[in-house]
Amino acid sequence: MTTRGGSRPNIVLINCDDLGYGDLGCYGSTKNATPVLDALAASGMRFTTFYMASPVCSPSRAALLTGCYPPRIGFGSFDGLPVLFPGQGLGLPDTEETIATVLSRVGYRTQMVGKWHCGDQPDFLPTRHGFDHYFGLPYSNDMGRQVNPPSILDWLPPLPLLSDEVVVEQQPNQASLTERYVEECLRFLRADDERPFFLYLAHLYVHLPIYVTVEALAASRNGPYGAAVGAIDWATGVLLDALDELGLRENTIVIFTSDNGSLGDAAPPWGSTTSVGGSNLPLRGAKGSTWEGGLRVPAIVSWPGTVPRGVVNDDLHRSLDLFPTLATLAGATCTDEFAIDGVDVSACWTNGAPTPVSTFAYYRQNSLEAVRDAQFKLHVAKGNERFDALYDLSVDPGETVDIALDHPAAVASLAAVADEVRRRLGDERLDIVGSECRPIGRVLNPKPLTAYDPDHPYVVAEYDLPDKG
Ligand code: MG
């Protein structure tokens, strides 16, 4: 067995798009077949109480990579929009460190494949944030040319597929994109290079519109959604198989998660009237909301021989903690120039230590909507409206019974937590400016990476599904 990477572990981080808490077999799904992911969970640690820092894409992804709540790095909203759109002059500035920046600095080779969504202008791309190479879509797969777009989105340019910083294809066939992503990952894993590596695979699935292969659809019990989940499962299996073949499985940390909750099982907000097919059960709410279903997501860490097998971890854990944790395990340190919100939880992974995380703040854009501790969750707002409710998540993860009147001490304790969070990270609803917030990156004269040209030989001129979301 080789120990390529030496004493430092390789890292494979797999992030899905809009995969819900209840979408995997190991999280209770009876609709989607996920044998590989169920086995991955059994091989390591499965988290039942793991949060992304936002219920939507751009803020969630920037938080995952930087270990910062989105408002800390200017990623709460984007000139008023909830996520970044094509050609916006905003993005993650190079003054912010990412997991890739830090790992690259200590000798890791790094690659990102898939959805970026932290800024599409050259200054903001993955190659400017510690990744040696990049292949993928710089933003969501519903931000290309589609039939019958909502009128507010009918201006979107052709969907660009990037290699490093170059548009290599416009309007790619989305049904084949996951296979192409996997090929790119395999090339990276198999490279003849002794350095340890960091691979970040960010799937386009299961964000709408969902295009899948004929084979995946035939194998699905849950329509295109189940087929997309099946493709994620298949892709994981191919990568794990390659690590086994290379003798690297025991020296590689594999992390699997999702950027935010599913839209759920209703019809999409724009587009077709058929059910999306997703599930956040047993949680309440969906993508975009600060109910549990918006931010609590599946999370698995597998590192055979180091992370114990078959552990179900119910403690409070957050995507924010991946950055300092992976840096620690790689023998790197985050520079102290800027404060981050994440903390090192490596002892929880390797030694079963209790979580050092005592609270979590639920932001929607730049407004604080809820806070939780180990047991209780206090809602303080929904949208621009005040909304008061207390739930005991230890017995009521579905947030069904407001118990605020019965637990004034818990309400007071969490209200104090909310005030402290607001002081540091702000609360737009209350006109509170956070003392620790840093500005988002801006460039002058931004422009979309593509422009529609009726004479261009697009593979797919207009995606024929109208679904967005
Ligand atoms: Mg998403």
Side-chain angles (χ1 to χ4, degrees):
M1 168 146 332
T2 167
T3 55
R4 201 170 74 182
S7 60
R8 292 181 296 174
N10 304 300
I11 300 163
V12 175
L13 171 59
I14 302 171
N15 192 15
C16 303
D17 200 350
D18 299 2
L19 183 77
Y21 188 82
D23 277 334
L24 303 182
C26 53
Y27 281 84
S29 176
T30 55
K31 295 195 293 188
N32 305 319
T34 55
V36 173
L37 291 164
D38 300 345
L40 183 72
S43 78
M45 190 172 281
R46 181 173 73 82
F47 296 86
T48 64
T49 315
F50 184 94
Y51 293 90
M52 283 286 159
S54 169
V56 291
C57 294
S58 299
S60 165
R61 286 156 194 270
L64 169 78
L65 290 168
T66 63
C68 295
Y69 278 113
R72 180 182 292 283
I73 54 172
F75 258 64
S77 73
F78 308 90
D79 288 344
L81 297 170
V83 297
L84 285 160
F85 278 79
Q88 268 191 291
L90 304 173
L92 194 61
D94 60 10
T95 46
E96 296 295 344
E97 287 194 319
T98 70
I99 298 173
T101 320
V102 167
L103 295 180
S104 182
R105 194 163 60 223
V106 295
Y108 276 64
R109 61 191 185 94
T110 56
Q111 163 102 36
M112 179 180 175
V113 176
K115 177 177 176 178
W116 171 240
H117 218 178
C118 293
D120 69 356
Q121 299 302 291
D123 283 2
F124 305 134
L125 290 174
T127 40
R128 310 293 178 97
H129 283 290
F131 290 100
D132 301 336
H133 293 290
Y134 172 55
F135 180 74
L137 302 175
Y139 38 74
S140 298
N141 65 319
D142 65 348
M143 292 180 175
R145 292 183 61 86
Q146 284 174 264
V147 295
N148 304 321
S151 58
I152 54 166
L153 294 173
D154 60 2
W155 56 274
L156 291 169
L159 193 64
L161 181 64
L162 294 186
S163 176
D164 293 339
E165 299 182 5
V166 177
V167 177
V168 291
E169 195 174 321
Q170 301 182 36
Q171 297 279 113
N173 179 351
Q174 295 191 23
S176 64
L177 210 43
T178 296
E179 286 178 44
R180 297 172 71 181
Y181 284 176
V182 168
E183 284 172 12
E184 187 75 12
C185 291
L186 290 176
R187 261 195 294 279
F188 175 76
L189 294 179
R190 289 173 175 156
D192 186 13
D193 193 317
E194 289 303 305
R195 290 175 293 169
F197 59 74
F198 172 47
L199 172 65
Y200 175 32
L201 168 59
H203 283 289
L204 81 159
Y205 292 145
V206 283
H207 197 289
L208 303 178
I210 296 177
Y211 291 94
V212 292
T213 62
V214 172
E215 294 81 3
L217 190 59
S220 171
R221 300 191 304 268
N222 185 25
Y225 195 96
V229 175
I232 291 168
D233 195 70
W234 166 82
T236 309
V238 174
L239 301 189
L240 293 176
D241 218 46
L243 292 173
D244 280 336
E245 273 175 28
L246 293 163
L248 296 176
R249 188 69 179 87
E250 290 202 351
N251 198 34
T252 302
I253 305 169
V254 177
I255 303 156
F256 180 93
T257 190
S258 174
D259 71 335
N260 50 251
S262 165
L263 281 169
D265 201 26
W270 297 290
S272 69
T273 54
T274 53
S275 151
V276 171
S279 169
N280 299 310
L281 291 175
L283 308 179
R284 178 174 179 177
K287 172 184 179 179
S289 85
T290 51
W291 297 103
E292 290 295 286
L295 296 91
R296 200 198 286 204
V297 291
I300 298 166
V301 174
S302 172
W303 188 7
T306 307
V307 170
R309 295 178 56 84
V311 177
V312 177
N313 187 321
D314 296 323
D315 283 354
L316 176 54
H317 280 273
R318 315 169 302 179
S319 65
L320 299 168
D321 306 316
L322 288 177
F323 177 28
T325 301
L326 294 173
T328 299
L329 293 170
T333 47
C334 318
T335 56
D336 283 331
E337 187 177 358
F338 294 123
I340 67 170
D341 296 292
V343 296
D344 172 20
V345 298
S346 55
C348 308
W349 294 8
T350 60
N351 300 329
T355 183
V357 178
S358 57
T359 61
F360 177 72
Y362 303 70
Y363 270 93
R364 184 171 173 277
Q365 301 194 27
N366 284 310
S367 295
L368 184 69
E369 293 199 349
V371 287
R372 70 159 291 173
D373 58 21
Q375 181 176 2
F376 295 104
K377 176 177 178 181
L378 179 70
H379 289 263
V380 295
K382 285 280 166 285
N384 283 325
E385 303 299 320
R386 181 170 169 173
F387 176 87
D388 299 302
L390 183 79
Y391 298 97
D392 183 347
L393 294 177
S394 68
V395 296
D396 184 21
E399 300 173 277
T400 61
V401 183
D402 176 9
I403 53 169
L405 293 178
D406 302 327
H407 295 271
V411 171
S413 165
L414 282 169
V417 170
D419 283 341
E420 173 62 13
V421 169
R422 288 176 179 126
R423 189 186 63 73
R424 293 184 289 111
L425 301 178
D427 189 341
E428 193 168 87
R429 181 180 65 91
L430 300 177
D431 290 326
I432 297 173
V433 177
S435 63
E436 298 179 11
C437 293
R438 306 189 287 267
I440 195 169
R442 285 183 185 270
V443 295
L444 297 174
N445 305 313
K447 62 174 199 273
L449 301 177
T450 61
Y452 179 64
D453 172 0
D455 295 326
H456 183 86
Y458 297 106
V459 174
V460 183
E462 307 274 345
Y463 294 119
D464 59 4
L465 293 175
D467 302 346
K468 288 185 178 289

